[in-house]
Amino acid sequence: MENGKVVYGPVPITHGRKGYPTPPGSFRVTFKNKNHKSSIFNNAPMPNSVFFNGGIAFHQGSLREKSHGCIHLSPGASQKYFASLSVGDVVEVVR
């Protein structure tokens, strides 16, 4: 959003599977990593990661399978989010 208007989206996503919920709320981007690999889930690739709640991030991932709490985006959407969001920006996760 810019100046109260949606400038990109909505986009398809997948979210946390049973036992790994994606927490709703308002958060700030804490860090970004273009080529992140999960230290928890067998070095799984997490391209275009934008972290906003501890280990929870927006990143490129499957749009068919639910995640371990992150928000999976298509390659194009993950690139747009990575390029558009900066550390300190507010992000909101809603159900």
Side-chain angles (χ1 to χ4, degrees), residues 30-66:
T30 53
F31 72 100
K32 297 171 31 173
N33 186 329
K34 184 79 173 155
N35 297 301
H36 189 77
K37 295 198 188 281
S38 173
S39 60
I40 300 170
F41 297 104
N42 300 321
N43 242 11
M46 297 169 56
N48 302 314
S49 288
V50 178
F51 288 87
F52 59 87
N53 183 14
I56 306 295
F58 296 104
H59 65 84
Q60 179 181 323
S62 173
L63 295 179
R64 286 180 283 240
E65 295 182 31
K66 292 187 176 182

Side-chain angles (χ1 to χ4, degrees), residues 1 25-30 50-52 58 81 84-93:
M1 295 191 67
S26 183
F27 307 95
R28 290 197 179 268
V29 173
T30 53
V50 178
F51 288 87
F52 59 87
F58 296 104
Y81 276 58
S84 300
L85 291 167
S86 299
V87 171
D89 284 353
V90 174
V91 297
E92 292 189 39
V93 177

